[in-house]
Amino acid sequence: MMSTLVATPFFGFMISIGFFILGSFLYKRIKFPLFNPLVFAIICVIIFLLLTDVSYETYNEGGRYIGIWVTPATVALAIKLEKNFKYLKESYPAILTGIVAGVAFHTALIIMFSLLFRFDYPLAATFLPKPVTTAIAIGISESVGGLVPLTVAIVVFTGVVGALIGPALFKFAKITNPVAQGIAYGSSAHAMGTSKAIEVGEVQGAMSGLAIVVTGIVVVVFAPIGAQILQLLF
């Protein structure tokens, strides 16, 4: 029975959607961070593959069909942005300045830590697209000579951690402005952070969607500069 199920081309798709629905069900009843549907589905799929000894390649035969929808889902966030455009008009200097400064600081940190821990160039370049969503990060990693599979893992891990610790971090730092919360989610935890931002509020969701796009554009500009500096240093 198991071998028949695994042999179907949509095996990966079915278990991913199944665990996501189960996570949604649990999260509606128990507001525990690890029951966030995205986080829950990722953890359960990994555990399931390990326990059943199913290879990632077999899973990805169907699982890759989920990835196709990442880009359209990101573009669809513009609908929420259109509804909350007044917040963008009121705060665009602070939003743009904050995102550009954040990406520049992130690039500087990557260079600094690469030197500190003696990364080779491909490993250092792998981290450059970390602030952007997977659909954009893959292209940037390929263009600067990074390790694409590792970039995807780093981006997903960053998104999961950002979505999990975001509420506690805002509470600790006393950040209550919905625009600031949304920009922080989108520019640091990208798509997964945006799913959390939508859950928190409509303004947070719209600003997070905007931050994904703007951060992607800024990283596209800064990543080649960072790559050039890394090539000079290694």
Side-chain angles (χ1 to χ4, degrees):
M1 168 111 182
M2 186 66 190
S3 58
T4 305
L5 181 64
V6 171
T8 61
F10 292 104
F11 163 72
F13 178 83
M14 288 188 294
I15 64 168
S16 299
I17 295 297
F19 283 130
F20 184 89
I21 293 173
L22 179 59
S24 300
F25 174 80
L26 292 172
Y27 194 68
K28 284 179 181 175
R29 284 155 180 77
I30 308 169
K31 295 292 183 183
F32 185 62
L34 288 178
F35 287 155
N36 176 295
L38 279 173
V39 178
F40 183 81
I42 290 171
I43 293 173
C44 286
V45 167
I46 292 172
I47 293 174
F48 182 86
L49 295 183
L50 289 174
L51 291 179
T52 57
D53 202 25
V54 175
S55 69
Y56 171 76
E57 288 73 20
T58 301
Y59 160 79
N60 202 38
E61 282 295 313
R64 61 194 169 94
Y65 292 109
I66 295 175
I68 294 173
W69 296 99
V70 172
T71 303
T74 304
V75 174
L77 294 171
I79 297 171
K80 283 191 174 292
L81 178 62
E82 191 273 336
K83 292 179 180 176
N84 295 277
F85 191 70
K86 64 176 182 178
Y87 295 102
L88 175 60
K89 286 180 65 177
E90 292 171 358
S91 309
Y92 75 90
I95 292 171
L96 295 178
T97 303
I99 292 176
V100 171
V103 172
F105 186 62
H106 165 267
T107 305
L109 282 179
I110 295 298
I111 295 171
M112 186 181 76
F113 281 112
S114 298
L115 291 172
L116 183 64
F117 294 106
R118 299 183 179 181
F119 292 167
D120 57 16
Y121 174 78
L123 183 57
T126 298
F127 284 88
L128 289 173
K130 187 179 70 61
V132 297
T133 191
T134 308
I136 304 173
I138 290 173
I140 295 175
S141 185
E142 287 176 341
S143 68
V144 298
L147 308 171
V148 175
L150 186 56
T151 294
V152 173
I154 291 168
V155 168
V156 171
F157 179 77
T158 303
V160 170
V161 172
L164 286 176
I165 69 172
L169 195 60
F170 293 145
K171 187 176 181 181
F172 175 77
K174 298 181 179 177
I175 299 173
T176 56
N177 186 293
V179 175
Q181 290 181 343
I183 295 298
Y185 271 124
S187 59
S188 60
H190 16 84
M192 292 191 182
T194 300
S195 74
K196 182 64 181 178
I198 292 172
E199 179 189 317
V200 174
E202 186 163 321
V203 176
Q204 286 90 335
M207 291 300 109
S208 186
L210 168 71
I212 287 179
V213 177
V214 177
T215 304
I217 295 171
V218 176
V219 171
V220 166
V221 174
F222 273 83
I225 298 172
Q228 287 292 325
I229 295 173
L230 287 171
Q231 285 178 336
L232 290 174
L233 294 174
F234 290 98

